[in-house]
Amino acid sequence: RNPFSLEFTFLILDMRPKAYIIASGPSLLDLTKEEIQHLNHSQYTLSLNCYLEHWEKIGLLPKCHMMADGQFPTIKMLVNDTRLIQKLGDRITYYISHRYLSYFPHWMDISGVKHAFRKRWEIWAQFSYWVPWTISKKNLVPFSQICESNYSHQADEQGWFWAENLSEPLYFNRGTLSSAINLASIIWPNCDIHLLGVDLNTYGYFFDPPEGETQMEKLHKINEKRIGKTSAEHHLKSHKTNTHATAVTYETEDKQKLPGIQQAFPRISEQLNKSDRSLFCSNPNSLLVEQNILPYTPVIPKVGKL
């Protein structure tokens, strides 16, 4: 060996900070202790919908959480999540769809109180759950989505719209994930975005039991009262093909066919590229990687030799 040669270790590392969006795919169970520790030290982690309720199963506590789904039991999850955040010491910023605020109007807003009571009664009658009148709003940050009718005029003919701040509605296409990427691009404007637990090629979730009924089967049953006949049939199709519901072409009641969420990623990536940022997937077996829609990158950058 040449005694004058130099050898040292370096990190293959992009200096740009990394923001992580944490979904609920079973691939989260494959995270190593080192990866979980790395993610727990990150300041840029955003989990979605059901994740926070089951976070201890993974051991990864996010810095932010997002709730955008509108179907029951999401309002119950919101109530439970706010209590959990208080218990954890208010360390999590909670981004919620603004429509949830209609459940908790100011007591002097008579019309708002009547509307909130009617919504509570509907949930009680259908699901035997009574929504409490108050929750902690300390860490709540509301947003709106482009899918809501009040904002439909702001989208182009293809339904494309990208919010630059939280006063504008977030982009939405076939699921919370699309809005979450838009949200992350706003709150962490200097970060590349990495997807965790975004599998799409499975119907399951990381918190499903090893045997027996999955979470989605419990929620849907398939429950037409909860999600409507058309959506129920769609979820049955998703279950049969073992594919996430957002990745399966959705046929509306008027026979319009909406392609899976994966078709939106090229446009989303293009949007991020405009500000010199990129979108990655950290599950090598994700549908997004298998179909070459997004590049794979590990949670922890690899170490090499120079």
Side-chain angles (χ1 to χ4, degrees):
R1 179 177 180 182
N2 185 344
F4 297 102
S5 66
L6 296 177
E7 181 181 280
F8 60 93
T9 302
F10 71 97
L11 282 176
I12 302 174
L13 179 64
D14 184 351
M15 297 305 293
R16 185 182 299 280
K18 296 173 174 58
Y20 300 92
I21 294 178
I22 308 163
S24 297
S27 65
L28 291 179
L29 297 169
D30 298 328
L31 290 173
T32 66
K33 291 181 180 180
E34 291 76 17
E35 288 172 330
I36 293 171
Q37 183 179 29
H38 175 82
L39 292 164
N40 275 325
H41 281 92
S42 171
Q43 295 301 309
Y44 311 110
T45 49
L46 171 69
S47 60
L48 309 181
N49 294 329
C50 296
Y51 178 86
L52 194 59
E53 185 176 354
H54 304 278
W55 78 271
E56 289 182 299
K57 188 173 180 66
I58 303 299
L60 167 56
L61 186 64
K63 301 301 187 296
C64 303
H65 185 68
M66 179 183 190
M67 177 75 75
D69 285 353
Q71 302 155 338
F72 188 84
T74 50
I75 184 60
K76 183 178 180 180
M77 290 164 54
L78 169 65
V79 173
N80 292 340
D81 286 346
T82 56
R83 293 170 178 170
L84 174 61
I85 290 173
Q86 282 186 295
K87 183 179 178 181
L88 293 171
D90 295 323
R91 291 180 291 161
I92 300 173
T93 302
Y94 202 145
Y95 294 90
I96 64 167
S97 171
H98 76 95
R99 60 177 174 267
Y100 286 115
L101 296 180
S102 64
Y103 283 93
F104 310 100
H106 191 277
W107 65 272
M108 293 188 67
D109 180 4
I110 303 302
S111 61
V113 170
K114 289 181 178 178
H115 177 71
F117 184 83
R118 183 170 63 253
K119 295 179 72 167
R120 279 170 171 74
W121 178 251
E122 290 174 354
I123 290 176
W124 172 259
Q126 293 183 16
F127 306 107
S128 300
Y129 175 74
W130 184 261
V131 181
W133 281 100
T134 60
I135 59 172
S136 173
K137 298 181 181 179
K138 181 179 178 181
N139 287 41
L140 297 186
V141 179
F143 62 83
S144 58
Q145 290 172 296
I146 193 63
C147 60
E148 295 158 358
S149 59
N150 290 344
Y151 302 101
S152 60
H153 66 282
Q154 296 189 26
D156 66 17
E157 294 179 355
Q158 286 75 43
W160 174 258
F161 177 85
W162 194 256
E164 300 296 337
N165 55 68
L166 288 182
S167 66
E168 300 174 336
L170 300 178
Y171 174 68
F172 177 87
N173 190 315
R174 292 295 311 277
T176 302
L177 178 60
S178 55
S179 296
I181 298 172
N182 196 172
L183 174 64
S185 75
I186 293 171
I187 61 178
W188 299 314
N190 298 317
C191 293
D192 285 335
I193 298 174
H194 298 247
L195 306 182
L196 286 168
V198 178
D199 304 343
L200 299 182
N201 49 11
T202 176
Y203 187 75
Y205 290 81
F206 74 88
F207 45 79
D208 284 336
E211 298 180 0
E213 216 170 30
T214 67
Q215 177 74 357
M216 291 303 288
E217 287 172 318
K218 286 181 180 179
L219 290 179
H220 299 300
K221 287 283 180 191
I222 294 298
N223 191 342
E224 294 182 10
K225 177 174 63 175
R226 175 180 176 268
I227 59 177
K229 183 177 180 180
T230 302
S231 292
E233 291 174 349
H234 176 74
H235 279 277
L236 282 171
K237 179 181 177 182
S238 171
H239 187 213
K240 185 177 180 180
T241 59
N242 193 32
T243 306
H244 195 276
T246 59
V248 178
T249 298
Y250 183 84
E251 186 171 337
T252 65
E253 293 182 3
D254 60 0
K255 303 303 179 182
Q256 181 184 1
K257 292 185 177 182
L258 306 178
I261 191 173
Q262 59 270 33
Q263 60 82 35
F265 280 93
R267 187 75 182 265
I268 293 174
S269 294
E270 180 183 341
Q271 179 66 39
L272 292 173
N273 292 160
K274 290 179 180 179
S275 53
D276 195 30
R277 291 179 291 170
S278 299
L279 183 62
F280 301 95
C281 183
S282 292
N283 170 18
N285 300 313
S286 168
L287 178 148
L288 298 174
V289 176
E290 289 180 342
Q291 296 185 2
N292 297 314
I293 296 171
L294 289 182
Y296 163 73
T297 185
V299 173
I300 301 176
K302 292 182 179 180
V303 174
K305 297 286 184 180
L306 182 63

